[in-house]
Structures are given as structure tokens and as C-alpha cells.
Amino acid sequence: MKLIGNSGTGERLAAGTTADTDTGVRPTDQSTDQSTGNLPAQRTTAGGDTDVTGYGPERLVHLTADRVAAASTRDLTDPADPADGADGTGDSFETALAAREQAALEARHRGSADAGDPNAASQLGALLLRRGDLRDAEPYLRSAAAAGLRAAANNLGVLLHQQGHRTEAAQWWRQAAVAGSAPAAHALGLQLRDQGEEEAAEYWLHFAAEQGHPLGAYALGDLMEHRRDVRAERWFKTAADSGHREAAYRLARMREAAGDKDTAETWYRTAAARSHARAALRLGVLLEARGDLDEAARWYRQSAQNGEARAACALGFLLRDTGDLSAAAEWWQEAAEAGDGTAANALGALHAGRGENAVAERWYRAALDAGDHNGAFNLGLLCAGAGREAQAEQWYRRAAYAGHREACNALAIVLLQRGDESGAEPWFSKAAEAGSVDGAFNLGVLHAGRGETRQAQEWYARAAAEGHGEAALQLAVAQEQRGNLAGALERYRQAADGGSAEGAFRLASLLDRRGDADTEAEHWYATAADAGHRRAQVRMGVRAAERGALQIAESWYRRAAEGGSRSAAFNLGLLLARQDSEAEAMLWYTRAADAGHGRAALRLALLALRRGEAVQAENWCRRAAEYGPAEVAERAGRLLGALDAELSA
């Protein structure tokens, strides 16, 4: 019985099957996504974007202090001044005008603040904070916060947090939150969460969320999901409805995990429409699974263009499946260069299939460097195919120790083939226990070789339950040998459905012998024959000949004979002889006889005798008697006796 090893290339995991571990980002994380990482003073607009503090005139152009000063002294109407953009390199007229307006606004705020106006001090502090002038902003914000302005207290907390003064920042955020500031409550809740004070964090995040603060709702949902609180979904939805794309993505993941793919798709679309790369990837996966390939490709492309390497990889597989290998390779290369091991393995397999082993090896090594141990396994397969057995074993061993189940199976086969059964068995066991159906089957083969029938049957049953056709075949043969034909039929069907050509042939033979399922028997003979099973091809030829379909019969006989079947060669010879193609018939008789077919040898003896070639006829008779079967040997013996008498006379 032949051991089975997985010869897969490790090309593809179901795109997107890798678990996401989004947990929200801390306030100091400058994430481009909307999450808890935005500055606490920021707020979310209706469109989902973030304003810097939400206080003072909006949509101001943010310029450095030097550029503001320079703009305020220029003549904006002078077209000859190259700095105003006349040559395409300086500021535009609109930018310079906005800079002058902002400088004037700052001057007005500063004058009022220096005169003791707390509102102006708060506005000026916010403006300076946006610009990054923390040292200049701090005294104005402190003055306004001390006067009881909650916006100033919140922004002072932001400033102190940026400076690393977290304790004092929390004090000002608390003051602002108590006064009703949702951004301050959000920021305070995050800081308390990070300190492990989850109960207090939940209180303030809940306060922010109830005030309509999307970031607060998202952070509250994140905290609740971490604690497996079913209320998390409500708060993610609240944030998503306000335009928070990460919340929409997290909500979609929750609905998909619950089996509600329709709702999940809706929220993936919402997040993806806001350029959320992972949402576009998951949306592509859902669409591809239901066959909407064109739309799936569009979302994969958008996700890839937004930096998601897994989407580039998935797009590569989709293009490969549509036959566009060139475009697939381009996307795989983009993903691989971004560190995607699956894409690197796919590129390796592509080049290996072209015989470009050096390039394939480079990509497999890149996959391994990216942490994908399929790379080591594929390097083992590559080396084994090139006859570099020692290197193959090393790569298999490396992948096996990393837990790669098919590498465990491959390593066990290598060890068993060189006689190290005791070394092979633990690796077969490890492969089988990790879910390798080939490993389970091979473990069954190992036990069967020792005569340990019960253990062998257990492992065969385990592999057959996972669709392993050859394992089901072994179980079927055992059932038939015990006379349990009903059980044998069931297992043969399982083997045939699992791709076993021998299983399909034996199923057809059993149905044929039973005599009440000719149509089904024909189907399984054809299935086995199409898979290259020579005995099934011969049987298909015989059945066609019995129906008078001689051309079909000849076609099946030729396929089987050219594949090495001596019975097919003999039958083809008979068919050709009936069609007066005696010369070609002789060729096929000879091929069959040379392969040990007794009837073909006897037929050649009779033909030689008809031509008067007594010595040659005697030689073929002796071979026919040697090959058998019994009735052929008996006829050959009688013919030999007659020839001897004739030759003696």
C-alpha cells in the first residue's frame, strides 16, 4: 500500500481567514483610522472626519508660525512676486489670504486674552495647540481653565498628555467631564482603561457615548467586547451610525461571526466606502464566496491600494483563477514585498511550475522570512523534486517542528522510506492529530503493515471521515472480505466520491455483479476510466463492444493498452482482426504476449501455424502454457503435442 504525502504548494489560505485582533488604539497612537487613538480634544463630524478641537473658527488653514508671519507682510496683489504662486512653486493666493486671516484672528485673540478675556484665552490656546506651539498655548489654556471654561480644561488635558504629564492631564479632563465635556470624558475613560480601572473607564466612556461622542461609543464597545459583553454591538452600531468606520468594521465582524452575513455585508460596505482597507478585504471575500467575482475584484483592488497586503494576495488568486497569471503575479509580488507570506508562496509555486527553481526558492525563502512556515515546507518539496533529499529533509524538519502538519507527514515518509519506522511513527501521529488526513491514512498503513488491524481501521476511519478516498477504500475492502456487501457498497461510494479511481472501479464491479444497477455501474466504470484506471477502461471497451459500438470500444482499448494493459492490448488485437487489420492486430497480440498474456501468446501460435511457421508456433505455445490460465495452458499443451508429432515425422 502506498503512503500518501501532501504535494500542495501552500499557496492559499482562504483569503481573510486570518483572525483580526483590532482592539482600539491608545491616545498617543497616530493612527490614520478613526479609533480611540485620536486626540481627546478632537471631535467627529457628521462625515466621520475629525476636527482638531472643535472650538473656535473652523476650516482654518494650518500654517507654521514662520509662514504666517511671512504671509502677513506680503503684498497679495503683486503678481510679479514669485512667492505668491505665479510660477507654480509658491503659495496660492487663497492660501496666503487664509494665512493672513488666521494671523489677524490670532492677533485679536491674543490682544483680548492678554487683556484678561478667558474666552479669548481659550480660543487662542486651542489655535496654538492645533499648530503645535505647546509652550505658548499652555499659559492661555491654564488661565481659561482656571476661569472654569470646560473647553480649555479639555484642551489643557490634551496638551499635558502630549507632554507626558498624564496624572495632571487626567485631573483637567475630569474637571471638564464633570462640567459636561464629552471629549474630556472620552479621554479620561481611555486613560482609566489603560490604568486597569475598567469600571471607572466604563462610566466615563458611557457618559461620552450618551452625549453622542462617536469615539466614546466606539471605545465603550471595544471595552465591552473585550469583556464579552453583548452590549458591545449596540455601541459599535451607535459609533458606526455616526460615521466611525472602524466601528462599522467591528460590527460587521461580529455579525459575520454570528452567521448574519447579510447584515455583515451591509456594514462592511459602509466601512469600505470610507476607505477602510480591512473592510474592503472582507467584503471582497464575501462577494467572491458567492460568485460575484467582478465586484470582489474591485474591493480587493481598493483594499490593496489602501495598503492591505492580504487583499493584493487575494486579488492575485482571483486573477489566477480567471486565467490572468501575469496580472496575478504582479499583485502577488506587491503583497509579497509588503511581507505577505501567502503571496510569496504563491509566487514560488508559480515559478516552480515553470521550472524556474532558483526564483521559486527565493520566494519560498521570502515567505519563511515573513513567518509563513509553508515556505519551509515548499522548500522541502522543491529540494525533493530536484533530488536534494538531505536538504529536503532539513526543510521538512524545520517546518514540522514549527507545527506544519503536512511537513510532519512528509518527514515521516522520508524516515519510513529509509527504514526508520520508530522515528516515522511520532511524526505521522503529530500530523494526524493536527488534522492531516494524509497523516491519518499513513498511520493506518503503518499499523496495517504490522498486522495491527484494529488500530489501522481506526485511523482509516478517521481519514475517511474527512473525505480521504483511499482510506475509505481500505475500509470497503475489509467490509467486502467479511461479506458485508451493504457496508462495502457504502464505503466504496465514499471512496469514489473522495476521488479514488480504484474505489469507483470496485463499486462498479460490485454493482455489476449484483445485476440490478447497470446504469449506476456504467457511471462508476466511466468515472474510474476517465481517471486513468486501466481495468475500468477495458471494462468500458467490453461493454461498448457488446452494444456494437466498435469505435468507442476501440478507443477505450487503445487508451488502456497504451497505458500498459495487456488485456486491453489483446482485446484491441481481436477487434482489429475482425475489422481485417491483421497486421496491426499482430502488433497488439505481440505486445500483450510480451507482457505475459497467455491467450495472446496462444493466438500468435495459431497464426504462426497457419502461416506454416512451425518453430515460431512452438515457441509461442510454450509461452502460452507458461503464462496460463489453466484452460489456455491445456490448449497450448495439446497444440505442442501435435506440433512435436508433426516435427518428429
Side-chain angles (χ1 to χ4, degrees), residues 228 496 508:
R228 302 183 185 279

Side-chain angles (χ1 to χ4, degrees), residues 278-318:
R278 284 163 294 156
L281 168 62
R282 289 302 310 161
L283 178 57
V285 170
L286 289 181
L287 292 167
E288 184 179 1
R290 74 171 185 228
D292 295 338
L293 302 186
D294 289 341
E295 189 180 1
R298 289 198 300 271
W299 288 112
Y300 283 150
R301 186 173 282 105
Q302 175 182 305
S303 180
Q305 290 169 346
N306 284 329
E308 180 55 67
R310 290 175 299 170
C313 180
L315 181 56
F317 282 111
L318 192 151

Side-chain angles (χ1 to χ4, degrees), residues 209-233:
E210 290 286 8
Q211 295 291 317
H213 194 281
L215 297 175
Y218 172 77
L220 181 58
D222 183 51
L223 182 64
M224 288 181 169
E225 187 184 36
H226 172 70
R227 298 202 306 238
R228 302 183 185 279
D229 189 324
V230 295
R231 294 176 297 167
E233 188 170 326

Side-chain angles (χ1 to χ4, degrees), residues 409-427:
N409 181 59
L411 177 59
I413 291 174
V414 169
L415 295 172
L416 190 62
Q417 286 174 340
R418 70 166 180 240
D420 187 2
E421 184 176 313
S422 62
E425 185 172 359
W427 288 112

Side-chain angles (χ1 to χ4, degrees), residues 59-141:
R59 297 182 177 85
L60 296 179
V61 177
H62 297 172
L63 301 174
T64 65
D66 292 341
R67 291 175 68 192
V68 170
S72 66
T73 61
R74 282 171 34 209
D75 181 357
L76 300 179
T77 62
D78 182 5
D81 184 355
D84 74 358
D87 63 352
T89 61
D91 295 331
S92 68
F93 176 84
E94 291 80 5
T95 300
L97 181 60
R100 288 190 65 180
E101 290 175 351
Q102 184 162 346
L105 177 64
E106 181 180 336
R108 287 198 303 273
H109 285 328
R110 192 177 295 275
S112 298
D114 290 343
D117 183 346
N119 286 309
S122 178
Q123 297 276 10
L124 179 59
L127 188 152
L128 295 169
L129 178 60
R130 281 201 300 268
R131 203 165 67 202
D133 294 344
L134 303 190
R135 181 176 297 181
D136 198 9
E138 184 174 352
Y140 290 106
L141 290 176

Side-chain angles (χ1 to χ4, degrees), residues 106-193:
E106 181 180 336
R108 287 198 303 273
H109 285 328
R110 192 177 295 275
S112 298
D114 290 343
D117 183 346
N119 286 309
S122 178
Q123 297 276 10
L124 179 59
L127 188 152
L128 295 169
L129 178 60
R130 281 201 300 268
R131 203 165 67 202
D133 294 344
L134 303 190
R135 181 176 297 181
D136 198 9
E138 184 174 352
Y140 290 106
L141 290 176
R142 283 190 181 277
S143 172
L149 296 185
R150 73 182 191 188
N154 176 53
N155 287 340
L156 180 56
V158 173
L159 185 149
L160 293 166
H161 187 275
Q162 290 182 5
Q163 292 176 332
H165 305 311
R166 295 179 174 242
T167 301
E168 188 181 0
Q171 292 171 357
W172 287 108
W173 280 332
R174 188 179 299 275
Q175 177 177 311
V178 168
S181 170
H186 166 242
L188 180 59
L190 290 183
Q191 183 150 314
L192 291 168
R193 181 201 66 182

